[in-house]
Amino acid sequence: MAEFRVHHIRFFEYVPKAIHCLAYEEASERLALSRSDGSVEIWSIEDNWYQEKVLPGSASSSVEAIVWCQQRLFTAGLNGDVTEHDLLQLAPKASVSSNAGAVWCLTVNRSQTYAAAGTEEGCIVLFDMKDNSIQYDRALDKQEGRILSIAWHVGEETIVTGSIDNIRIWNVRSGHATQRITLGRQDSNKETIVWSVAVTSDMTIISGDSRGKTSFWNGKQGTLIKHYQSHKADVLSVCVNKDEDCVFSSGIDPSLVQFEYTPTQDESDWKMWVRSSIRSQHTHDVRAVTFAGDCVITGGVDCYLIFNQLEKRKGKMWRKIPALPSMSPVHVAKAAKIVMFQYADYLELWRLGSTNKTSDKSGEILPLKTNPVKLLQLKSKGGETIVCCALSDNAEWLAYSDTEAVRLYQITIEDTEVISPQISVNRVRYSPPGTKPAHRLAFTRNATNLVSAASDGCVQLLAVDAVQPTLLHTFVNDAEISEPIHLLALSVDGKYAATADHSSNIHVYSIRKHKHVCSLPRYSAQPTALAFNPEHANIVVAYSDQKIVEYSVPGMEYTVWSRQFNKHVHPQWTRRHSKITHITFSPQNRDQIILHDEQMFCILDKTQPFPSPDTKLYNKSAWQMECQPGQGQGQHCFHICSKFKYLLYLEVLQDDWLVAVERTPMAMTENFPPSLKQKKFGT
């Protein structure tokens, strides 16, 4: 197995954002979540929790509520608008003002024909969602104080709202409040804020408030059934399951408390709500709790998405998903040995450090001859969020796209070997007519062409020029485009471009002949990474269920190795949760496929035999390779290294160098706000 020297990069300051809201769509098994920067993510649960889409936010926007309605996604925030999002173009589609100030909460009725928003001015505003549109309908009576939480009864005639010191029950038809439930105060000078409400079909109202109490109310009588001092600080979110026999609550005290509706005695019809379990999995405030089938999902300030399996099954009952992008924000210009980091509204270019030392000792730190140097920080136009970017292999061209347009820059670096090289940036102001914003960008190896996966699902080919770039061709599929392109790869010789979308459609195009070449067989799972082998026109694809295939473009069929690999795929490999995010190839041996996720990287050697099912690929408890030479396991095609966590990017340079970009969990959490102080046993 080849040995590499590693550029171990830890100066990429990737900072995850806190989760604000969660919403689950049952028909498509999709989870939508919003973060503190206003961005929205779509996760596919059926693809083993794969982050498939990211709708960019902006510094001026906030998302305080998010809901699904007829498989359409809606958000609302402090700007007072309810916005529908286009899930193909990943951009706002339509917005309607509440005409009553900021929107704090949002819900839809059971038939998904109307949405109700709770606003700053104390109004419940109804929106008509029929006919694939959103329109302002009317506002119910105004109350004193803002409405912070809202729930719609399944009968569709009743809405329950929570605000300061009270819960109100509203009649939708008349627009009047029919009942007001007043909550007590722990301190006469301190208001009780009802942060979250839920309602069951029998009009049991569940509330979470700033006293740390989870309360159960009789909505018909307006009386308290039972309350629990479930938390030591504010309860920010409560949710009830589909069968209405299980409730979860959490908040500033991040404990996840479960309540069950159980009989008081054996063979008794009398039931009551009982606190049944407490889970302590988050470290900071939990902002949102929701159900997704038999799972309960939580998210908050610590940025982790955690789901708990309620039905007892084999294996782990809960899982923590880190806030890492599914598409790497790192790009490397191999020939120039320059790395580019993508932040929300700016790009950074760094020259890699160098050394003339080598060592036979694994893991030894080599002394640097020259340190890494920051060459450039390029801010986006108007502070717009950068959707995607690309850097040419010689680092002479840079392109990025926001939600408005693709922007091209020519970069000139003089005296690259000196400590502080001179760098100049020339913005190409001309944009060819017909060029559309992009979701993915890539330069050909010779930097003469730029390939763009456009926001409308087509593929565009541009000729790069410092004065007047040209739109050479737009590849359009005959089939109706329903999902955006999320993967784009080019062959080294510049002949082919391959794209993949969330419907598992993988298409190969001829860049030179401007035509569609072939499509790979459609698979049930989503592709998560793809790349061309530099020596021949074979494309390697990794899927969300850990399947890996190699497809011959000239032969239009899977290769012999691919068929054999999937016959002998190791069970320990398929049980992995992390998705492959990048694929590359060893320059010393093109039969070695290098792929990585956030936990490890693996060299897959096509010339070596497949492991037997009883062979351990790695020891999960120690998370290290067991199959080292001399340990009696024998040689096989899997060579796994788990030295880095979290591994954001791994690329091979032309010589024996690897570029590994790592962001440790400690570095990601060091700027988090302080969590609730709780006394623990023995402290």
Side-chain angles (χ1 to χ4, degrees), residues 439-548:
H439 289 159
R440 297 290 177 265
L441 292 168
F443 286 98
T444 54
R445 178 61 64 90
N446 58 12
T448 58
N449 293 322
L450 174 66
V451 180
S452 165
S455 58
D456 62 354
C458 66
V459 179
Q460 295 190 313
L461 176 64
L462 291 88
V464 175
D465 187 79
V467 178
Q468 190 170 345
T470 308
L471 178 61
L472 298 176
H473 189 70
T474 299
F475 300 93
V476 180
N477 289 324
D478 296 333
E480 183 180 355
I481 300 172
S482 59
E483 291 289 348
I485 293 172
H486 69 292
L487 297 177
L488 172 65
L490 307 184
S491 61
V492 173
D493 57 9
K495 290 176 62 177
Y496 298 111
T499 64
D501 62 25
H502 297 299
S503 295
S504 299
N505 297 309
I506 301 176
H507 301 292
V508 180
Y509 303 93
S510 172
I511 296 176
R512 297 174 183 174
K513 297 181 180 179
H514 300 174
K515 68 176 185 178
H516 178 267
V517 177
C518 64
S519 298
L520 272 67
R522 191 173 174 183
Y523 185 55
S524 57
Q526 289 196 42
T528 62
L530 55 83
F532 280 97
N533 191 309
E535 283 199 348
H536 38 72
N538 287 357
I539 184 169
V540 177
V541 185
Y543 290 93
S544 60
D545 63 351
Q546 313 303 340
K547 183 176 181 178
I548 298 170

Side-chain angles (χ1 to χ4, degrees), residues 182-229:
T182 303
L183 282 74
R185 294 187 177 186
Q186 285 184 329
D187 187 337
S188 59
N189 296 323
K190 188 176 181 181
E191 298 170 331
T192 297
I193 304 172
V194 182
W195 290 114
S196 183
V197 293
V199 60
T200 65
S201 57
D202 65 354
M203 276 304 293
T204 298
I205 299 170
I206 304 104
S207 67
D209 59 51
S210 58
R211 301 171 299 174
K213 291 185 177 180
T214 304
S215 305
F216 298 85
W217 307 85
N218 184 328
K220 297 176 181 177
Q221 304 295 330
T223 56
L224 179 66
I225 300 172
K226 184 80 174 177
H227 70 84
Y228 291 91
Q229 188 66 50

Side-chain angles (χ1 to χ4, degrees), residues 60-97:
S60 60
S61 67
S62 72
V63 177
E64 300 297 326
I66 184 168
V67 295
W68 291 93
C69 183
Q70 304 168 9
Q71 298 191 25
R72 299 151 60 200
L73 184 66
F74 296 86
T75 61
L78 302 185
N79 61 358
D81 294 339
V82 176
T83 303
E84 181 181 0
H85 295 272
D86 189 324
L87 298 183
L88 172 61
Q89 302 201 15
L90 306 183
K93 183 178 181 181
S95 291
V96 178
S97 176

Side-chain angles (χ1 to χ4, degrees), residues 21 80 156 199 233 243-244 308 331-332 415 423 458 502 602 606:
C21 312
E156 303 190 3
V199 60
D243 295 332
E244 300 182 346
N308 285 269
H331 302 266
V332 174
D415 301 325
I423 184 167
C458 66
H502 297 299
C602 174
K606 293 167 57 178

Side-chain angles (χ1 to χ4, degrees), residues 14 51 322-329 581 648:
Y14 171 77
Q51 183 200 78
L324 299 172
S326 59
M327 298 297 120
S328 176
T581 56
L648 295 180

Side-chain angles (χ1 to χ4, degrees), residues 396-398 407-411 426-432 443 446-450 462-472:
E396 293 180 3
W397 293 96
L398 183 154
R407 310 188 191 278
L408 182 64
Y409 295 83
Q410 186 179 28
I411 301 171
N426 174 44
R427 179 189 165 194
V428 181
R429 299 185 178 275
Y430 179 79
S431 179
F443 286 98
N446 58 12
T448 58
N449 293 322
L450 174 66
L462 291 88
V464 175
D465 187 79
V467 178
Q468 190 170 345
T470 308
L471 178 61
L472 298 176

Side-chain angles (χ1 to χ4, degrees), residues 162-184:
S163 53
I164 296 172
D165 286 331
N166 62 70
I167 297 170
R168 282 185 171 89
I169 302 172
W170 302 79
N171 184 288
V172 177
R173 186 169 297 176
S174 67
H176 304 315
T178 59
Q179 191 117 236
R180 172 177 170 172
I181 302 171
T182 303
L183 282 74

